[in-house]
Amino acid sequence: MALNILKLCVGCDSVEELEAWVAHRLEERRRNGEPVEHWHTTRMVPTRADEIIGAGSLYWVIKGNVQCRQLITDIRPYIDPEGIRRCRIVLDAEIIHTQWQPRRPFQGWRYLKPEDAPADLGVGATGIAEMSPELRQELAELGLL
């Protein structure tokens, strides 16, 4: 069974904003002749990478709720120009909407077992994905999502 990672999506107020940011970064890399891939940089390297790569996802907490995920395709530790160990969590560019799941703020990232992860929004739940971010947030605050 694949292991996942849970992370706060700081600076984004909606899944749509995250999608636009990822598209912008990929286009920027394409224009600069760099490899067209998306990653998230973190300081800590997951010690259980073999359980994550290729099957696990990074679940994003946006505005206090898990709202989406991205498949983790690789984990690359490196040392930055200042000599600090860092890690690139390489992600599939596709962002998959999930059912909303409330989460309290935390620092860094956490492992997320498959049984604790919210389900993807399926065919029967497309109405939720089509709602405006404001309406989804309001419904979540009322405990209706």
Side-chain angles (χ1 to χ4, degrees):
M1 222 185 250
L3 187 63
N4 303 296
I5 291 179
L6 183 66
K7 179 93 175 84
L8 297 181
C9 191
V10 178
C12 283
D13 291 333
S14 68
V15 176
E16 293 76 13
E17 193 174 327
L18 176 61
E19 289 169 334
W21 185 81
V22 169
H24 171 75
R25 293 292 294 153
L26 291 173
E27 181 56 34
E28 196 174 60
R29 287 189 177 103
R30 189 176 291 110
R31 276 194 317 267
N32 293 336
E34 299 171 2
V36 182
E37 60 183 13
H38 175 62
W39 65 78
H40 176 75
T41 302
T42 185
R43 186 152 181 194
M44 301 303 293
V45 178
T47 57
R48 299 171 67 182
D50 55 329
E51 298 175 66
I52 298 169
I53 297 171
S57 290
L58 179 62
Y59 282 79
W60 290 109
V61 177
I62 301 172
K63 293 292 211 179
N65 289 285
V66 176
Q67 297 186 30
C68 62
R69 68 180 180 89
Q70 290 178 274
L71 181 67
I72 298 172
T73 59
D74 201 4
I75 294 176
R76 299 179 191 151
Y78 71 100
I79 297 176
D80 73 9
E82 289 83 35
I84 299 170
R85 284 188 60 205
R86 302 235 183 245
C87 177
R88 283 191 178 135
I89 300 173
V90 183
L91 304 166
D92 188 276
E94 180 185 9
I95 296 173
I96 301 163
H97 291 248
T98 65
Q99 293 178 353
W100 282 31
Q101 185 181 77
R103 290 289 173 149
R104 293 184 185 270
F106 58 91
Q107 290 186 342
W109 53 263
R110 303 284 183 266
Y111 288 119
L112 179 65
K113 294 184 232 169
E115 60 267 20
D116 296 332
D120 294 347
L121 286 182
V123 176
T126 55
I128 295 171
E130 293 169 358
M131 290 179 192
S132 72
E134 296 81 14
L135 180 57
R136 286 193 306 253
Q137 183 66 39
E138 189 172 334
L139 290 172
E141 288 171 3
L142 294 170
L144 300 173
L145 275 186

